[in-house]
Amino acid sequence: MKKFVLGFLCGAALVSSAAAYASDEIRAVLFPVQFEFNGEKVETPSRFAILNYNGHTYVPLRYMAENLGAGAAYREEDKTVAVVSEPSGAGDTEKRIWAAQYRLERGMSSKEVRDALGEPSFSALLDSSRQQWRYDIGASPGYRSSGGVSADMEALKRGDLQAQVFVSWNAAGEVDRYELWAAGAAEGGSRPVSVHIVYPDGSSSTSEY
């Protein structure tokens, strides 16, 4: 088993954003095990590493949450990891917005994104090596996007769209950035729009318009 050093090792970590100092380093080993959920063996995607430290198994929280019917997300603004179950009895729109919040992550393949969100509404080449997918979620009948590769703010504020998701791919065909633009409840005839962006370096930001 290959040995390596991790700073601030945490089995529930989704994002590593702090530099490790020598006094805080611990040594762990890769742990090549298979997982079985409710009697069914599940293949672990290569982007997830399973670790062993002092006889304890450390696994990615998102991987475990997804296989137990939940999802996970990291909030940069308050340094919080949220684990949320898939909404039961919800409609397709609510479930897809939930999936964009708690199932999308950097490093996913196109198949994994399709499994979470379905087929994109629109795709475009940003440059010679980068592609972007757009998802129009909860669109009213007859809706036609005016945004292309940018959010249709007017439609979101009017309620013609419940959400838009933008997924950007790197040259290796993996997700390296994604955005969720979601409309809230109407306030004085216009809906506020919240925006959550995860950047290629793993950092994120949330704002409201």
Side-chain angles (χ1 to χ4, degrees), residues 92-94 96-97 120-122 134-166 179-186 189-194:
D92 179 69
T93 294
E94 186 178 351
R96 293 177 76 198
I97 293 174
S121 306
F122 176 81
R134 190 193 76 223
Y135 288 89
D136 301 331
I137 300 176
S140 60
Y143 167 75
R144 297 184 67 179
S145 173
S146 62
V149 295
S150 59
D152 192 343
M153 287 290 289
E154 293 305 314
L156 289 164
K157 289 185 174 183
R158 286 194 308 266
D160 292 341
L161 270 179
Q162 297 302 311
Q164 276 189 318
V165 177
F166 297 87
E179 307 175 17
L180 170 63
W181 298 66
S190 179
R191 296 169 179 261
V193 177
S194 62

Side-chain angles (χ1 to χ4, degrees), residues 1-206:
M1 291 185 289
K2 182 180 178 181
K3 292 188 175 182
F4 61 99
V5 176
L6 294 180
F8 300 101
L9 177 66
C10 177
L14 293 177
V15 178
S16 176
S17 59
Y21 296 93
S23 60
D24 296 310
E25 291 179 347
I26 58 177
R27 192 170 296 274
V29 295
L30 290 173
F31 194 29
V33 296
Q34 284 189 313
F35 281 93
E36 187 175 279
F37 294 91
N38 298 318
E40 182 179 348
K41 288 187 177 181
V42 177
E43 183 178 351
T44 305
S46 60
R47 69 178 185 277
F48 294 128
I50 313 303
L51 308 176
N52 183 286
Y53 173 67
N54 281 351
H56 296 286
T57 301
Y58 290 78
V59 298
L61 177 61
R62 180 183 293 274
Y63 171 73
M64 296 299 291
E66 288 179 3
N67 282 281
L68 294 172
Y74 174 71
R75 294 199 303 263
E76 181 76 29
E77 61 270 21
D78 59 357
K79 306 293 190 249
T80 297
V81 174
V83 179
V84 181
S85 298
E86 183 177 19
S88 59
D92 179 69
T93 294
E94 186 178 351
K95 287 185 176 181
R96 293 177 76 198
I97 293 174
W98 174 86
Q101 289 177 304
Y102 300 109
R103 287 285 172 86
L104 279 184
E105 69 169 329
R106 293 166 52 251
M108 291 179 77
S109 67
S110 58
K111 180 183 183 304
E112 290 171 319
V113 174
R114 284 189 173 97
D115 287 344
L117 295 177
E119 291 295 326
S121 306
F122 176 81
S123 64
L125 285 175
L126 301 179
D127 55 43
S128 60
S129 62
R130 288 174 53 81
Q131 186 180 28
Q132 185 183 77
W133 288 2
R134 190 193 76 223
Y135 288 89
D136 301 331
I137 300 176
S140 60
Y143 167 75
R144 297 184 67 179
S145 173
S146 62
V149 295
S150 59
D152 192 343
M153 287 290 289
E154 293 305 314
L156 289 164
K157 289 185 174 183
R158 286 194 308 266
D160 292 341
L161 270 179
Q162 297 302 311
Q164 276 189 318
V165 177
F166 297 87
V167 180
S168 298
W169 305 88
N170 60 24
E174 300 172 338
V175 175
D176 69 351
R177 172 188 167 117
Y178 57 93
E179 307 175 17
L180 170 63
W181 298 66
E187 297 179 0
S190 179
R191 296 169 179 261
V193 177
S194 62
V195 185
H196 181 69
I197 303 175
V198 175
Y199 299 97
D201 64 358
S203 63
S204 63
S205 66
T206 302

